[in-house]
Amino acid sequence: MIIAAISSAITAILVSGSDKEAASPKPTSAKSAPAAPSEDPTEASEETEETYNDSPTSTDFALSMKTTKKQCFGSAGCNITVDPHLSYISATSLDPEKTISITYEIHGDESGPVIQTLELSDGDQVTYDPVSISTADRSTKVTAEITDVTVSS
């Protein structure tokens, strides 16, 4: 009987101790997370709508010329074929639905600047014609300068 009483007392202490732990609140941080803002589906679609550079200018692009063929004739100069290498350097995207015509002058031809136009469509498709020029000597650097940018639908 004494063993039963001791056993009951120990069981009562263990049960009441575990009840106290379960009933006591867990420590929490003093900071609480702010409530998540409710999202309106129409607001979310407006925020994700892309904005485009509708009127790019020559400063939004960088243009260099890549020599693809070169034949020199001693002191008589060289015949060179060049292709434009266009880079878009603005932070705002171009509208892929628009076609952009970029007119540029190529400098380095012995008879003066050569004017060409390339087209940029689908946001990254460049269409151009390679250009053949003649330089006065082999040390002539061929450069390009954008003179006009036109956007069409």
Side-chain angles (χ1 to χ4, degrees):
M1 180 135 137
I2 296 179
I3 295 178
I6 294 175
S7 175
S8 295
I10 292 175
T11 302
I13 292 172
L14 289 176
V15 169
S16 68
S18 66
D19 285 344
K20 286 181 186 175
E21 286 179 15
S24 68
K26 303 266 185 213
T28 59
S29 170
K31 295 181 181 179
S32 62
S38 63
E39 287 191 31
D40 182 2
T42 57
E43 285 180 21
S45 66
E46 287 175 11
E47 289 177 17
T48 59
E49 187 176 310
E50 181 107 23
T51 58
Y52 296 112
N53 184 350
D54 293 328
S55 53
T57 65
S58 61
T59 59
D60 293 322
F61 298 94
L63 182 67
S64 62
M65 302 307 293
K66 179 180 179 184
T67 301
T68 57
K69 291 182 186 177
K70 185 175 188 176
Q71 182 179 12
C72 294
F73 306 99
S75 63
C78 302
N79 289 335
I80 300 174
T81 302
V82 292
D83 292 343
H85 180 78
L86 182 70
S87 299
Y88 182 68
I89 56 176
S90 179
T92 308
S93 299
L94 292 170
D95 188 344
E97 301 292 319
K98 308 275 182 169
T99 299
I100 301 169
S101 296
I102 300 171
T103 302
Y104 57 99
E105 283 185 5
I106 302 170
H107 300 278
D109 187 75
E110 65 185 345
S111 61
V114 177
I115 298 174
Q116 291 288 303
T117 301
L118 62 80
E119 285 191 347
L120 177 63
S121 57
D122 297 328
D124 64 355
Q125 299 297 314
V126 179
T127 306
Y128 64 91
D129 292 323
V131 178
S132 294
I133 62 171
S134 296
T135 62
D137 62 54
R138 69 177 58 233
S139 64
T140 301
K141 293 200 180 234
V142 178
T143 60
E145 173 187 5
I146 297 173
T147 58
D148 187 48
V149 177
T150 307
V151 179
S152 59
S153 298

